[in-house]
Amino acid sequence: MDMIRDDDELERLLRSTRPEGAPSELRSVVLTSVYAELASVDRPRGSPWLAWSVAAALLVAAGLNGLVGMNEQQRMARLFPPLPPRQDVRDVASAVASATDDQTGQWFGDYLTQRLSRRGPRIESRRADELSVFNSAVQRDQLPYLE
Amino acid sequence: MEDLSRRLANGDPTAFAELYDLCGDRLFRYLVMRLGSRSRASDVLQETFLRLVRARDNFRKIDNPVAYSFAAARNEADRSLKKGRSHEQLPADDLLIANDVDGSQAIDAAESVSSALRRLEPDLREVVELKHYADLTLREIAEMTGVPQGTAATRYRAAIQRLREVLMREWI
């Protein structure tokens, strides 16, 4: 091979020595996979703004729901303040206090008030129902087990 | 080019065929030089086009889809080299084919250029490969490699000078 005298000659040499081009079948291989990929991702894509708006609306709705719930709790607490302890509870509490100490009596009184306030209405309404059934049975003289 | 970019971004299949016809062969030659293997270059070229399809929205932001495709191919080639999958590696003297030279002179020329290129620093070697085997302009090379055009030109001049030195040393 001749000596390279200048850069032009070197550039000519570079241009004349090249890697072999792509095999002809590669075009169809590449384009087939491109078309398959395009078909697989060619579903309608919603606007990202829409997705963000829905997410923001849900967040605001959840926040408002929490706020309304808190306000409702406060309103109910204002409308229905805790009931003063019942006489029978006070009696039991003082009996416990005399048997133990004031602190235990106080704790037991609170405990009973809490339990009764949770279960009370249900029990009382059931008792009232039973009582009314009993009274009506007495009035109709239908108490077979007393015979 | 602007129209092609827009059609590529819209996922027009004919635009991808057009892009392949525009630069598929050049991309392949560039990848063969970078990876040293024709089978690996085929795999990477296919993967590059798939990536271009998946990220086709990016074509809206670019002016030159060819330079962008070369940048994508370069990234894909680097990824493939990192994975290090085994492929047949072409010997340096089989990478290039001399077209305008006859017989043993052709083999000599291809071998000499190939081994001289291997002795260049990677940055310099790449600019020569992109200019002569991928037929990119210096402006496109700058765009693709992310350097100013002046830097690409300086690298090219330095690469040519180094190549000449290496080849002269070899023939003395």
Side-chain angles (χ1 to χ4, degrees), chain B residues 1-51:
Chain B
M1 280 290 192
E2 210 172 287
D3 178 55
L4 179 62
S5 293
R6 188 182 47 76
R7 284 168 48 226
L8 288 165
N10 290 339
D12 177 354
T14 60
F16 282 94
E18 213 173 295
L19 182 68
Y20 186 92
D21 293 338
L22 211 55
C23 62
D25 204 51
R26 293 190 282 154
L27 278 169
F28 181 80
R29 284 201 301 266
Y30 166 66
L31 288 171
V32 168
M33 290 306 287
R34 196 162 178 90
L35 298 165
S37 155
R38 288 175 66 79
S39 65
R40 201 172 201 175
S42 298
D43 290 351
V44 170
L45 182 63
Q46 190 173 354
E47 200 50 50
T48 302
F49 267 81
L50 286 178
R51 240 169 233 281

Side-chain angles (χ1 to χ4, degrees), chain A residues 1-7 10-24 26-31 33-35 37-38 41-42 45, chain B residues 11 13 16-17 20-21 25 28-29 33 38 45-46 49-50 53-54 56 95-99 105 109 113 132-133 135 156 160 163-164 167-168 171:
Chain A
M1 200 162 92
D2 295 334
M3 285 272 276
I4 295 170
R5 280 175 288 274
D6 55 27
D7 289 352
L10 176 59
E11 288 193 316
R12 259 199 303 281
L13 176 66
L14 284 170
R15 270 195 294 276
S16 67
T17 53
R18 292 162 77 88
E20 218 178 325
S24 55
L26 187 59
R27 183 183 190 272
S28 63
V29 171
V30 169
L31 291 181
S33 61
V34 162
Y35 298 154
E37 185 67 22
L38 279 172
V41 296
D42 216 10
R45 288 186 295 175
Chain B
F16 282 94
Y20 186 92
D21 293 338
D25 204 51
F28 181 80
R29 284 201 301 266
M33 290 306 287
R38 288 175 66 79
L45 182 63
Q46 190 173 354
F49 267 81
L50 286 178
V53 171
R54 288 181 200 131
R56 61 186 185 277
L95 280 175
L96 298 173
I97 295 170
N99 302 315
Q105 268 205 326
V113 173
H132 287 285
Y133 307 139
D135 299 323
Y156 178 69
I160 291 293
L163 260 183
R164 229 180 113 192
L167 287 171
M168 296 281 271
W171 292 335

Side-chain angles (χ1 to χ4, degrees), chain B:
Chain B
M1 280 290 192
E2 210 172 287
D3 178 55
L4 179 62
S5 293
R6 188 182 47 76
R7 284 168 48 226
L8 288 165
N10 290 339
D12 177 354
T14 60
F16 282 94
E18 213 173 295
L19 182 68
Y20 186 92
D21 293 338
L22 211 55
C23 62
D25 204 51
R26 293 190 282 154
L27 278 169
F28 181 80
R29 284 201 301 266
Y30 166 66
L31 288 171
V32 168
M33 290 306 287
R34 196 162 178 90
L35 298 165
S37 155
R38 288 175 66 79
S39 65
R40 201 172 201 175
S42 298
D43 290 351
V44 170
L45 182 63
Q46 190 173 354
E47 200 50 50
T48 302
F49 267 81
L50 286 178
R51 240 169 233 281
L52 292 174
V53 171
R54 288 181 200 131
R56 61 186 185 277
D57 276 349
N58 291 344
F59 281 110
R60 287 183 212 288
K61 295 174 264 177
I62 55 132
D63 298 326
N64 188 339
V66 171
Y68 178 70
S69 303
F70 269 92
R74 184 196 205 209
N75 291 340
E76 208 55 51
D78 289 351
R79 219 168 280 143
S80 168
L81 285 171
K82 268 184 208 153
K83 277 189 206 157
R85 276 178 295 177
S86 61
H87 280 259
E88 42 82 39
Q89 196 85 13
L90 286 174
D93 47 353
D94 282 356
L95 280 175
L96 298 173
I97 295 170
N99 302 315
D100 305 332
V101 200
D102 295 327
S104 62
Q105 268 205 326
I107 299 168
D108 278 354
E111 273 181 20
S112 304
V113 173
S114 191
S115 72
L117 274 173
R118 296 246 153 166
R119 278 185 238 166
L120 291 186
E121 292 83 354
D123 285 353
L124 302 186
R125 183 185 159 182
E126 186 181 36
V127 81
V128 173
E129 288 169 354
L130 285 169
K131 179 117 176 57
H132 287 285
Y133 307 139
D135 299 323
L136 293 186
T137 61
L138 284 174
R139 188 181 163 187
E140 285 172 327
I141 293 169
E143 214 173 299
M144 178 211 149
T145 51
V147 296
Q149 195 175 333
T151 307
T154 309
R155 275 186 195 168
Y156 178 69
R157 275 196 300 274
I160 291 293
Q161 200 178 333
R162 287 269 296 119
L163 260 183
R164 229 180 113 192
E165 285 166 15
V166 171
L167 287 171
M168 296 281 271
R169 218 176 303 142
E170 207 166 87
W171 292 335
I172 286 170

Side-chain angles (χ1 to χ4, degrees), chain A residues 42-53:
Chain A
D42 216 10
R43 56 185 180 273
R45 288 186 295 175
S47 152
W49 286 108
L50 185 68
W52 280 110
S53 310

Side-chain angles (χ1 to χ4, degrees), chain A residues 108-125:
Chain A
F108 194 69
D110 292 344
Y111 173 75
L112 273 183
T113 306
Q114 209 178 8
R115 296 283 297 184
L116 288 172
S117 70
R118 216 181 295 159
R119 297 175 51 190
R122 227 176 28 214
I123 292 166
E124 276 164 15
S125 73

